[in-house]
Amino acid sequence: MVTGYIFLFILVILVPKLLFSNHPLISKSILIFLSTLALILCLHFAVVWILGIVVSVMEEDCFGFEALGKAGRIVKGKRFDGFVLNLWWNLIMLILYEVGLKLNKCKKNHGEEIGVRGNIEYSEIPTTPLVHEDIP
């Protein structure tokens, strides 16, 4: 619970204050440090938050803070493992994103067309029931 307040304090109070401070070197270095700390805390909390979503979907009468509490009890003892897994996954996605940006920039510089290959079509999804409601 205390780490949640620290995360909120960093994100809501310190980061905007440092963005508008007058000393550029100190404010930028502290801002980078606090942003990294906030990102690490967010990834740490995401382990329980994501499992809380799964719990709220799977359990019929479990939602909100109750689902988060149950997710916290399930993850207890394995939270660091989930955090490391989440960190690696986000680093891999960041690397793939950067590679995609560089690839698109290279294609643009060489005059190649940037776009989606193939044909994309949108269709409406039917909302009528597929099975008659009288059938048990």
Side-chain angles (χ1 to χ4, degrees):
M1 189 71 160
V2 173
T3 53
Y5 289 119
I6 293 170
F7 177 71
L8 184 67
F9 178 74
I10 290 171
L11 211 57
V12 174
I13 297 173
L14 284 182
V15 171
K17 182 175 172 110
L18 289 172
L19 280 173
F20 298 109
S21 77
N22 292 332
H23 199 280
L25 182 62
I26 292 175
S27 65
K28 285 185 182 179
S29 61
I30 293 175
L31 182 63
I32 290 170
F33 172 74
L34 290 176
S35 298
T36 305
L37 182 63
L39 177 67
I40 289 171
L41 284 172
C42 184
L43 290 176
H44 179 72
F45 292 140
V47 173
V48 177
W49 293 338
I50 292 168
L51 189 60
I53 293 171
V54 173
V55 167
S56 69
V57 169
M58 296 303 292
E59 300 277 331
E60 216 169 287
D61 293 330
C62 188
F63 52 89
F65 288 118
E66 183 182 351
L68 286 175
K70 194 169 194 174
R73 288 188 299 275
I74 292 171
V75 175
K76 190 175 185 179
K78 291 289 187 179
R79 190 174 295 189
F80 183 73
D81 296 341
F83 166 71
V84 170
L85 182 65
N86 198 3
L87 183 65
W88 279 111
W89 177 257
N90 279 287
L91 286 174
I92 290 169
M93 289 296 111
L94 179 66
I95 290 168
L96 290 175
Y97 178 75
E98 291 294 326
V99 168
L101 285 179
K102 291 196 183 290
L103 180 66
N104 282 338
K105 188 175 181 180
C106 286
K107 282 185 172 186
K108 187 176 179 183
N109 289 340
H110 289 94
E112 294 181 34
E113 183 179 332
I114 301 171
V116 179
R117 292 184 182 174
N119 188 9
I120 298 176
E121 295 181 20
Y122 295 97
S123 62
E124 289 187 26
I125 299 173
T127 57
T128 57
L130 298 176
V131 178
H132 197 276
E133 292 177 2
D134 295 337
I135 298 176

